Amino acid sequence: MASSTLPEFYVYEEINGQKFWDGGLLSNTPIRELIEAHKRFWEKRIGTQNLENSLKKKRSDNLDYDDRHPAQKIPDLELYIINVFSSKENGATTGEDFMLEDIDGIRDRKLDITLSDGYDAKTDGLFTDYVNLIERLISLGDRDEVIRDRINKILEEYTPRRFSTEEVKKNIDILKNTFKIVKVVQIQRKDDNDSISGKMGDFTSETINKLLQDGFHDALSK
């Protein structure tokens, strides 16, 4: 199975002539990939034009139809993250709270730092605040046609290009598929101080069952 081909333990898995390693090499906790997939799925399902029309607050002449068909937007997202590796040792808040005493401990610590979750909840929290602000500013045109026309004109303006190969976009292209991350729950697997650095490559039934039990207790404690 390609998802278990951990470097330094197993060779790659070849599928249809292509070589695959465990996905943790690129992103052990693929939050960014999830967010992009969420955008693409709902943009395809709702339709790009419907998203743009909703953002521009376009209304039809049939008010009854508008009431029955509210503005369409990409649904907000809840994140539930399981961190298998921790960038911090159990109970340690500073480097003085623990001491590495052997080479194996150093190797284990290196894996924790390399493969630990790089997700920053504060960044997405700030992004959600920006989305809330933008939505409130755009809503100023709901009852004022002059303001709405000015907002729509701004939405159709092109964004600055930071480099020559960057895709040409309008403001509406950036905003039409925005959504809010309304909840983030992170479950952190506790590090086993009595384990060895190569334990992550152990797929025996005894180890798997123990990990399942530990994960169950970690989830309940959350």
Side-chain angles (χ1 to χ4, degrees):
M1 184 169 64
S3 185
S4 299
T5 52
L6 304 173
E8 300 183 10
F9 297 101
Y10 304 100
V11 297
Y12 56 79
E13 184 75 16
E14 187 167 341
I15 303 175
N16 296 329
Q18 294 184 319
K19 301 177 178 62
F20 292 88
W21 293 97
D22 183 87
L25 277 175
L26 297 178
S27 180
N28 200 45
T29 309
I31 304 300
R32 295 287 164 243
E33 292 83 351
L34 170 66
I35 290 175
E36 287 302 316
H38 183 72
K39 290 180 181 179
R40 290 194 302 269
F41 173 83
W42 285 105
E43 183 174 3
K44 182 177 180 180
R45 181 164 185 173
I46 296 174
T48 298
Q49 193 60 55
N50 289 332
L51 290 172
E52 291 185 6
N53 290 343
S54 295
L55 191 62
K56 290 181 178 180
K57 304 291 184 180
K58 283 190 175 180
R59 309 287 289 181
S60 69
D61 294 332
N62 188 339
L63 297 181
D64 291 335
Y65 178 86
D66 289 335
D67 291 336
R68 295 194 306 269
H69 298 78
Q72 294 179 295
K73 56 176 293 187
I74 293 179
D76 295 333
L77 188 64
E78 294 184 1
L79 294 179
Y80 296 84
I81 306 169
I82 299 177
N83 297 321
V84 179
F85 297 91
S86 175
S87 59
K88 295 181 179 180
E89 287 295 303
N90 293 335
T93 56
T94 67
E96 298 177 354
D97 294 334
F98 70 95
M99 182 65 67
L100 298 174
E101 300 178 349
D102 53 42
I103 295 298
D104 189 73
I106 293 174
R107 289 172 178 167
D108 186 55
R109 189 79 190 104
K110 178 184 176 182
L111 285 173
D112 284 343
I113 296 173
T114 303
L115 299 177
S116 62
D117 169 39
Y119 172 70
D120 185 3
K122 292 182 180 179
T123 300
D124 280 328
L126 181 62
F127 175 79
T128 297
D129 291 339
Y130 281 137
V131 173
N132 284 327
L133 176 60
I134 291 170
E135 288 180 348
R136 292 190 63 184
L137 291 174
I138 291 178
S139 69
L140 294 176
D142 286 353
R143 301 183 182 279
D144 190 313
E145 187 174 349
V146 175
I147 294 178
R148 183 168 65 246
D149 289 342
R150 290 179 178 176
I151 292 174
N152 289 342
K153 185 177 180 180
I154 293 174
L155 291 175
E156 287 295 330
E157 292 178 354
Y158 288 96
T159 61
R161 298 177 68 186
R162 291 164 293 182
F163 43 88
S164 59
T165 57
E166 185 176 14
E167 181 183 357
V168 177
K169 291 182 179 180
K170 296 180 180 180
N171 289 321
I172 196 169
D173 294 326
I174 299 174
L175 298 175
K176 67 185 178 185
N177 58 1
T178 55
F179 59 91
K180 290 173 279 191
I181 296 177
V182 294
K183 184 177 182 180
V184 177
V185 175
Q186 298 195 55
I187 299 173
Q188 179 63 60
R189 175 179 175 267
K190 294 180 180 178
D191 200 12
D192 186 354
N193 294 327
D194 297 322
S195 183
I196 60 175
S197 62
K199 193 66 173 176
M200 63 180 294
D202 180 4
F203 295 111
T204 61
S205 58
E206 179 182 359
T207 297
I208 295 299
N209 288 330
K210 183 179 184 304
L211 289 173
L212 288 172
Q213 293 175 6
D214 291 344
F216 178 76
H217 291 300
D218 288 345
L220 286 181
S221 64
K222 185 63 178 180

